[in-house]
Amino acid sequence: MPLGGKALKKREQNNNAKAGIVTDDKVLRKQATAKEECKCAICNLTFKVTKKNADQRIHAESKHPRNSLAECFPGLEFA
């Protein structure tokens, strides 16, 4: 008997999972909508990039008061 559509899809997903390829729709949607991350150049702590980057500003002022925002987060724009 031929395999049904669900069985073929599940078999393909299992083969891809063994090869390290993500085919789960939920995972792919979550990755597509995830916010970009940036790292502090001094301590390598990661932060989500937002419009105002308030977390990065607070981190730089409290943890690295001697360094500027540009030194902590190079390439990131602050409004």
Side-chain angles (χ1 to χ4, degrees):
M1 287 177 86
L3 293 174
K6 285 185 179 180
L8 284 173
K9 184 176 180 181
K10 190 66 176 172
R11 182 178 283 179
E12 183 181 332
Q13 284 180 346
N14 287 337
N15 289 337
N16 287 343
K18 289 178 186 175
I21 301 169
V22 178
T23 56
D24 189 11
D25 293 338
K26 285 184 181 180
V27 173
L28 292 175
R29 275 187 267 133
K30 189 173 183 178
Q31 289 174 350
T33 59
K35 290 185 178 179
E36 187 180 340
E37 291 185 345
C38 66
K39 279 189 175 183
C40 175
I42 298 167
C43 63
N44 288 328
L45 199 64
T46 58
F47 294 92
K48 301 283 185 192
V49 176
T50 59
K51 290 180 182 177
K52 295 181 181 179
N53 294 320
D55 291 337
Q56 289 89 333
R57 187 183 311 275
I58 292 169
H59 170 78
E61 290 171 357
S62 64
K63 301 292 183 186
H64 313 294
R66 295 185 186 135
N67 302 2
S68 68
L69 285 172
E71 290 174 338
C72 285
F73 301 100
L76 198 62
E77 295 180 14
F78 291 93

